[in-house]
Amino acid sequence: MILLGIVMSLFWFYPFFLIIINSFKTKAEIFQNTLTLPAGMNVENYRTAFEKLDFIKSAANSLLITVGSLVLIVFVSSMAAYALSRNTSKISSFIYFVIAIGLLIPFQGIMIPLISLFGKVSMLNQPGLMIMYLGLATSMSTFLYYGALRGIPKSLDEAAVVDGANTFQIYWKVILPLLKPTTITIIVLNLLWFWNDYLLPSLSVNKEGMYTIPLKMFYFFGEFNKQWHLALAALVMVIVPIIILFVVLQKHVVKGISDGAVK
């Protein structure tokens, strides 16, 4: 099993290894052979890519959309799941079923009417993008929170009521802290999606100053000129922080998924 794990790890790491070594090559070296090591450490690729991406502004746009969407998703989904898990009526079960059905609806099936609707009410760019992410991610997030909440006894709610807490105080001070592993899981999974997403921002962002990093990276690929050396350097700058974050929080992600899906 250990040997199999090592082999699978090598297969997983190999594409990233190619990205890293080719990010230090010149454009000519990449076209000559993508599998060899670079002749030298050409850090000029990173400097040029940083400037052409307008990296600080693009990263700020991506960070604003990502963090804003994550805050909305965590609070809306956790509150919805808490209300549904503590209410055992048929209406509550039906609402949860409708939310769970959202997991089966592909984005491509609602893409055109969704963008058309948001365009008609002038809700494109950053505010509209965060609301769309909220709607698209709510089903999975509520599903995970709901599963985790089923493992939290209602006696905690009753004890908090005896101490004089209202419903929101129970949710905020008692329930939400217990959902930390699930919250971290939801944040990491959606962070990977929002930070790297190209399709939805390309459809909804139409102002130059609001472009995210994935949209800016498209500039490296013109109709007649592909600047692979710059694109790969930019890719390393974008994905390395996310990979480090995922590795650090991996234990919490696994626990959060198991809590939300099994209990």
Side-chain angles (χ1 to χ4, degrees):
M1 290 298 294
I2 296 177
L3 180 61
L4 178 61
I6 294 174
V7 172
M8 292 181 64
S9 299
L10 292 175
F11 274 110
W12 179 87
F13 180 74
Y14 185 64
F16 295 101
F17 173 73
L18 290 181
I19 291 172
I20 293 171
I21 63 172
N22 283 286
S23 69
F24 290 102
K25 294 181 181 180
T26 64
K27 187 176 180 180
E29 286 181 302
I30 292 176
F31 281 103
Q32 287 174 1
N33 193 338
T34 59
L35 302 179
T36 59
L37 294 174
M41 301 297 286
N42 185 15
V43 295
E44 184 67 20
N45 289 346
Y46 285 85
R47 187 189 68 80
T48 305
F50 188 90
E51 293 176 354
K52 287 186 174 293
L53 275 179
D54 194 4
F55 189 84
I56 295 178
K57 188 172 185 179
S58 301
N61 289 334
S62 292
L63 193 62
L64 174 63
I65 292 170
T66 300
V67 173
S69 302
L70 289 174
V71 170
L72 289 173
I73 289 165
V74 166
F75 287 111
V76 171
S77 299
S78 60
M79 285 190 286
Y82 175 61
L84 293 172
S85 66
R86 293 307 190 249
N87 191 329
T88 57
S89 66
K90 292 183 178 180
I91 294 178
S92 176
S93 299
F94 176 75
I95 293 174
Y96 173 70
F97 176 76
V98 172
I99 292 175
I101 286 293
L103 291 168
L104 305 178
I105 302 176
F107 169 69
Q108 291 78 6
I110 61 173
M111 177 174 62
I112 295 177
L114 182 67
I115 298 300
S116 176
L117 176 62
F118 273 74
K120 288 180 180 179
V121 296
S122 301
M123 281 292 290
L124 295 176
N125 296 301
Q126 291 173 345
L129 188 55
M130 286 188 282
I131 293 174
M132 281 186 273
Y133 278 140
L134 170 63
L136 293 170
T138 295
S139 293
M140 182 197 71
S141 303
T142 303
F143 176 80
L144 291 175
Y145 272 129
Y146 187 88
L149 279 161
R150 292 184 65 183
I152 299 176
K154 294 183 180 180
S155 58
L156 290 177
D157 301 45
E158 297 167 356
V161 170
V162 172
D163 290 338
N166 57 38
T167 303
F168 182 77
Q169 288 173 329
I170 296 171
Y171 156 78
W172 182 254
K173 295 182 178 180
V174 179
I175 301 300
L176 192 58
L178 296 176
L179 296 173
K180 181 180 176 181
T182 305
T183 299
I184 292 176
T185 299
I186 289 170
I187 288 174
V188 171
L189 293 179
N190 287 311
L191 172 66
L192 295 174
W193 171 18
F194 301 159
W195 182 263
N196 296 313
D197 189 26
Y198 172 81
L199 179 57
L200 192 54
S202 70
L203 296 171
S204 57
V205 177
N206 53 25
K207 292 183 179 179
E208 175 70 25
M210 295 185 179
Y211 281 4
T212 61
I213 288 180
L215 293 180
K216 279 287 190 177
M217 288 188 66
F218 188 71
Y219 290 156
F220 293 131
F221 302 96
E223 184 176 358
F224 303 105
N225 185 27
K226 306 293 189 294
Q227 302 181 72
W228 284 105
H229 57 308
L230 300 180
L232 293 174
L235 192 59
V236 171
M237 290 190 291
V238 172
I239 66 175
V240 166
I242 301 299
I243 291 175
I244 293 173
L245 179 64
F246 181 80
V247 171
V248 171
L249 299 177
Q250 184 179 12
K251 179 177 66 175
H252 298 285
V253 172
V254 173
K255 187 178 186 304
I257 291 176
S258 62
D259 287 348
V262 176
K263 289 182 179 179

